[in-house]
């Protein structure tokens, strides 16, 4: 996460507000969260002692629907970061037009240091502290970094106990057995694929001649590699935290998956050359897909990027300085709030199924996901073209316009 993520979020907001001539009262209303919950969570540890953890929920804006956003368990998690992430969630939900506001939560903790029992008590403690302020029509949390479907299962159980009734729509990202949705595991990457297809049309890329490099081979990057490869795109390089591999003729992605499963890394895959995580960003390719860390494309390396376009599946991989340089070089950057919004859209489908007591097939989920991603890309591209701004500012303008309209209609500004 960047040094001051909230400052960076507010600078993006300012840029879009200027480009769209946003009324000062609206700008002010979007510069502050509606509510900040900053709580102590006491947990009885296995050795009988009690440890107190810091827990957060920032509810940024709910003009368009219930607050929505993940809960992060991380030793560096702090209120400033959670505020930025909550703001970005409000923008993300608005840019794809799903009926949610934005929120984010977290606990400052290294979950790997806890036993399973301690982790369960901590997760239930977060729900007990937040209970009055969350719920299916109020605020719907989901997993984020180091929070899992199992943690969502504990949380939905605790919420349901407190509410006195089974309330699956209170959390998303649950295991299928307790109300989870088909396709949620790869909806971020699948949504990214639909966006890639639209981008390819604009850039006149033909899949079989389109070279793609993907930084990160986790949940998002590995599924993206698989889906892009299946559709005929030539995935030439992938990487994980240990380093990357490249073959400009293309990788056999299913075989790379097997190699990663067997050895724990993509490295050493037959017929490839090693490449480090910095150099993978500078390959002579068509589409670069950062799918791991934030802040990897910076003012320092933006001039060395040789890709013709960037698809941000990670959150926040490009710094504001890099954005300016890439725009000047006419390299479109499809921003995270659009490119990876298939994830929250998958969550929205889970919530909708839970509220209606139904379970959709994977085909039904994907059939609903595609038009949302295609139409959102189209709206952002047109907005950016009309105002001669980059796609990130275009995406913010689409989102802010929708939030502003809801705020005005509801008489909030
Ligand atoms: P993950 O933990 O499953 O995978 C992260 C990948 O990054 C792993 O392959 C890891 O080895 C790699 N990595 C770690 N350090 C690295 C380094 N220094 N250089 C290169 N690679 C490194 O996480 P994920 O769920 O795939 O999330 C990846 C990104 O996508 C994050 O920015 C996340 O916020 C964003 N995102 C995820 C979802 C989702 O549905 N999972 C939705 C929206 C956005």
């Amino acid at each position: 996460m960047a040094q001051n993520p909230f400052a960076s979020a507010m600078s993006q907001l300012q840029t879009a507000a200027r480009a769209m001539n946003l009324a000062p009262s609206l700008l002010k209303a979007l510069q502050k969260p509606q509510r900040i919950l900053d709580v102590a969570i006491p947990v009885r540890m296995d050795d009988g002692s009690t440890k107190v953890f810091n827990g957060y929920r920032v509810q940024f804006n709910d003009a368009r629907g219930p607050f929505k956003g993940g809960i992060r368990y991380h030793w560096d998690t702090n209120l400033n970061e959670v505020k930025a992430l909550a703001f970005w969630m409000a923008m993300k939900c608005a840019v794809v037009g799903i009926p949610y506001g934005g929120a984010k939560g977290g606990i400052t903790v290294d979950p790997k240091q806890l036993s399973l029992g301690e982790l369960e008590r901590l997760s239930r403690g977060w729900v007990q502290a937040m209970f009055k302020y969350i719920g299916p029509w109020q605020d719907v949390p989901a997993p984020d970094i180091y929070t899992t479907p199992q943690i969502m299962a504990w949380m939905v159980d605790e919420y349901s106990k407190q509410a006195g009734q089974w309330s699956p729509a209170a959390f998303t990202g649950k295991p299928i057995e307790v109300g989870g949705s088909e396709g949620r595991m790869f909806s971020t990457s699948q949504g990214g694929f639909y966006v890639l297809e639209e981008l390819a049309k604009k850039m006149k890329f033909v899949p079989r001649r389109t070279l793609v490099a993907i930084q990160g081979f986790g949940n998002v990057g590995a599924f993206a590699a698989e889906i892009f490869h299946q559709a005929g795109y030539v995935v030439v390089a992938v990487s994980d935290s240990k380093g990357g591999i490249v073959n400009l003729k293309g990788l056999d992605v299913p075989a790379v998956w097997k190699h990663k499963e067997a050895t724990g890394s993509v490295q050493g895959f037959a017929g490839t050359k090693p490449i480090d995580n910095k150099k993978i960003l500078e390959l002579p390719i068509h589409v670069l897909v950062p799918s791991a860390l934030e802040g990897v494309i910076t003012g320092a390396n933006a001039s060395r990027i040789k890709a013709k376009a960037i698809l941000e599946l990670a959150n926040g991989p490009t710094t504001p300085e890099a954005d300016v340089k890439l725009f000047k070089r006419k390299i479109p950057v499809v921003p995270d709030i659009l490119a990876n919004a298939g994830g929250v859209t998958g969550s929205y489908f889970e919530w909708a199924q839970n509220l209606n007591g139904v379970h959709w097939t994977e085909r039904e989920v994907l059939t609903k996901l595609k038009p949302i991603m295609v139409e959102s890309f189209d709206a952002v591209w047109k907005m950016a073209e009309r105002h001669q701004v980059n796609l990130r500012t275009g995406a913010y303008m689409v989102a802010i316009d929708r939030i502003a309209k809801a705020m005005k209609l509801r008489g909030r500004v």
Side-chain angles (χ1 to χ4, degrees), residues 72 85 92 104 144-146 184-185 187-189 215-222 239-243 260 277 290-294 296 313-317 336 340-344:
R72 176 171 290 198
L85 292 164
K92 194 177 290 190
K104 201 83 179 189
D144 190 65
I145 291 176
Y146 292 138
R184 177 63 193 91
M185 276 294 287
S187 63
T188 305
S189 314
Q215 187 192 47
F217 204 71
N219 188 39
V220 173
S239 68
D240 55 34
S241 58
K242 296 185 183 124
K260 167 103 184 169
N277 263 308
S291 309
L293 305 178
E294 64 283 339
V296 290
L313 292 190
N315 279 317
D336 45 9
N340 69 31
V344 71

Side-chain angles (χ1 to χ4, degrees), residues 54-293:
N54 293 336
Y56 311 102
R57 187 73 176 166
V58 174
Q59 298 179 325
F60 213 95
N61 186 289
D62 71 346
R64 301 182 58 261
F67 297 107
K68 183 89 189 91
I71 306 168
R72 176 171 290 198
Y73 286 5
H74 199 273
W75 48 95
D76 279 338
T77 291
N78 59 68
L79 199 50
N80 188 48
E81 174 191 273
V82 178
K83 265 166 72 178
L85 292 164
F87 170 78
W88 284 321
M89 282 308 299
M91 294 297 135
K92 194 177 290 190
C93 293
V95 89
V96 285
I98 56 176
Y100 285 137
K104 201 83 179 189
I107 300 178
T108 312
V109 59
D110 180 356
K112 289 177 191 156
Q113 303 296 322
L114 302 187
S115 71
L116 206 61
E118 290 166 344
L119 194 62
E120 176 175 351
R121 293 193 288 281
L122 176 66
S123 302
R124 290 184 184 276
W126 188 92
V127 176
Q128 288 155 13
M130 306 294 178
F131 177 71
K132 265 170 62 177
Y133 302 98
I134 59 174
W137 290 106
Q138 196 172 2
D139 182 348
V140 186
D144 190 65
I145 291 176
Y146 292 138
T147 42
T148 58
Q150 171 63 77
I151 291 176
M152 294 305 111
W154 291 326
M155 286 187 159
V156 81
D157 182 72
E158 186 62 33
Y159 182 90
S160 299
K161 274 185 187 152
Q162 304 271 338
Q165 59 181 347
W166 175 228
S167 310
F171 287 83
T172 61
K174 304 179 295 295
I176 299 273
E177 294 78 2
V178 286
S181 176
E182 303 296 338
R184 177 63 193 91
M185 276 294 287
F186 58 90
S187 63
T188 305
S189 314
Q190 187 72 37
F193 169 68
Y194 296 137
V195 169
L196 172 66
E197 290 271 87
E198 296 311 298
L199 176 71
K201 282 182 208 158
K202 298 284 183 200
M203 305 287 293
K204 305 209 176 0
F205 292 160
V206 180
R208 286 187 196 286
R209 275 182 271 131
T210 303
L211 309 189
V212 180
I214 302 176
Q215 187 192 47
F217 204 71
N219 188 39
V220 173
F223 277 112
E226 176 79 26
I227 295 166
F228 298 178
H229 173 79
Q230 264 180 24
Y233 289 85
V234 188
V235 178
V236 298
V238 296
S239 68
D240 55 34
S241 58
K242 296 185 183 124
I245 51 172
V246 60
N247 178 345
L248 287 176
K249 293 205 178 93
L251 302 172
D252 175 353
V253 176
V256 176
W257 265 69
K258 285 200 188 111
H259 180 80
K260 167 103 184 169
E261 272 162 17
T263 66
S265 171
V266 297
Q267 281 196 314
F269 179 67
T272 62
K273 286 195 181 140
I275 185 164
D276 72 32
N277 263 308
K278 287 200 172 106
K279 287 278 180 265
I280 197 172
L281 303 170
E282 299 171 15
L283 285 169
I285 48 162
H286 297 89
V287 189
L288 175 64
V289 189
S291 309
L293 305 178

